[in-house]
Amino acid sequence: AQSVTQLDSQVPVFEEAPVELRCNYSSSVSVYLFWYVQYPNQGLQLLLKYLSGSTLVKGINGFEAEFNKSQTSFHLRKPSVHISDTAEYFCAVRGLGGAQKLVFGQGTRLTINP
Amino acid sequence: DTGVSQNPRHKITKRGQNVTFRCDPISEHNRLYWYRQTLGQGPEFLTYFQNEAQLEKSRLLSDRFSAERPKGSFSTLEIQRTEQGDSAMYLCASRTGSLNSPLHFGNGTRLTVT
C-alpha cells in the first residue's frame, strides 16, 4: 500500500516570489509520482509526472518537481508565482500493480497575494 | 480529445433518495476510475474498471453504492438511500492501458444531501 503526506495544508506567498510545496510518500514497491492542480469547482489537471529517468521533471505553467528516492520526497517548485497559480495542489503516487490507482495527499492550498 | 465528461455537475437530493451519476471517459481509454472528494481533502479511490469489468472496489464503497460500465464505455455510479455523509464531489477519471499513462479527470459531480 502507498501513502502520501503533504506537509503544508496552506501556503501563502506574494506574487513573483518562489514557492515550494512539500510532498513525502511511503511505499513498499516502486511508484510513479504526480502533481495535480485543482481550481475551484473543477476536476484535477495534471501538472507533471515522474515515471523514470531524470529526477528533475518539468511541467506546465512553469512548475517543476524533484524526485528524491532516499528521502522519499517529490517537492513541487516554481521560481516566480502569479495570481493565477492560486489553487489546491495535490501530490499523488501510483503503484505499478493491480488497479494502479492514484493515492492522493490531502492537498496544499496555495494562495498568492498581490 | 474531448476530455472526461461528467453529468450532472450538481445534484441536490433529500436524504433517503437514490441518485445516479454518469461519466463518459475519453474514447480510447479502457481504464475508468471513480473517486470521492470531501471538502479540504484529497480524492479517495472508490472503484476501478478495466473495460466493462469492475476489478477493484474500496471498502469506502458501501452496499448502497453500485457502479457499472456495461459496454466498456460510459459508466454510472448509483447511490441508494442517500445519507448526509454522502455529500461530496464525485470524480471520474480515465486512462489508457499503457503503464505510464496518466489519469485524466472530469470536472466532477457535486452531491448535496439535505
Side-chain angles (χ1 to χ4, degrees):
Chain A
Q2 293 85 39
S3 67
V4 177
T5 302
Q6 291 184 243
L7 298 162
D8 306 293
S9 59
Q10 296 186 58
V11 174
V13 295
F14 288 106
E15 194 173 15
E16 298 183 6
V19 69
E20 178 179 82
L21 306 184
R22 297 180 293 168
C23 171
N24 286 88
Y25 70 93
S26 173
S27 177
S28 58
V29 299
S30 296
V31 295
Y32 291 160
L33 294 155
F34 303 82
W35 276 97
Y36 282 83
V37 60
Q38 186 175 36
Y39 299 102
N41 297 314
Q42 292 189 23
L44 284 78
Q45 180 182 1
L46 180 66
L47 272 179
L48 49 78
K49 60 185 178 183
Y50 172 78
L51 305 178
S52 64
S54 173
T55 57
L56 183 64
V57 293
K58 294 186 184 297
I60 62 171
N61 301 342
F63 283 93
E64 63 181 32
E66 185 158 19
F67 169 58
N68 187 318
K69 188 174 182 179
S70 63
Q71 297 187 3
T72 60
S73 67
F74 190 55
H75 301 332
L76 181 71
R77 302 187 185 99
K78 187 170 182 178
S80 176
V81 295
H82 302 283
I83 292 286
S84 59
D85 292 323
T86 296
E88 191 89 17
Y89 291 80
F90 293 95
C91 181
V93 300
R94 187 170 99 198
L96 303 188
Q100 299 170 29
K101 57 185 179 284
L102 280 178
V103 175
F104 287 89
Q106 290 190 311
T108 297
R109 178 168 299 278
L110 177 62
T111 304
I112 312 301
N113 299 308
Chain B
D1 181 353
T2 57
V4 178
S5 176
Q6 291 189 248
N7 288 288
R9 288 298 308 275
H10 304 275
K11 179 71 177 179
I12 300 174
T13 191
K14 292 185 178 180
R15 189 176 55 186
Q17 297 296 304
N18 300 343
V19 294
T20 300
F21 310 140
R22 176 179 171 123
C23 170
D24 288 90
I26 294 171
S27 58
E28 63 268 26
H29 288 185
N30 64 341
R31 314 287 177 102
L32 187 147
Y33 300 75
W34 284 97
Y35 282 80
R36 181 173 68 187
Q37 185 180 23
T38 53
L39 201 61
Q41 301 295 318
E44 295 174 297
F45 170 78
L46 291 179
T47 191
Y48 157 68
F49 289 86
Q50 183 173 324
N51 299 310
E52 67 276 8
Q54 187 175 19
L55 297 184
E56 187 168 334
K57 293 193 294 185
S58 164
R59 55 186 164 80
L60 294 175
L61 214 64
S62 77
D63 56 6
R64 296 185 297 105
F65 288 70
S66 63
E68 295 182 341
R69 195 183 183 198
K71 296 183 180 179
S73 55
F74 73 91
S75 175
T76 58
L77 178 68
E78 180 184 16
I79 309 174
Q80 296 182 327
R81 306 181 303 280
T82 52
E83 302 173 354
Q84 287 187 324
D86 297 331
S87 296
M89 174 79 88
Y90 290 84
L91 295 166
C92 177
S94 70
R95 67 180 184 92
T96 71
S98 172
L99 192 59
N100 60 5
S101 169
L103 271 184
H104 297 261
F105 283 83
N107 284 332
T109 294
R110 182 168 294 285
L111 172 66
T112 303
V113 182
T114 61

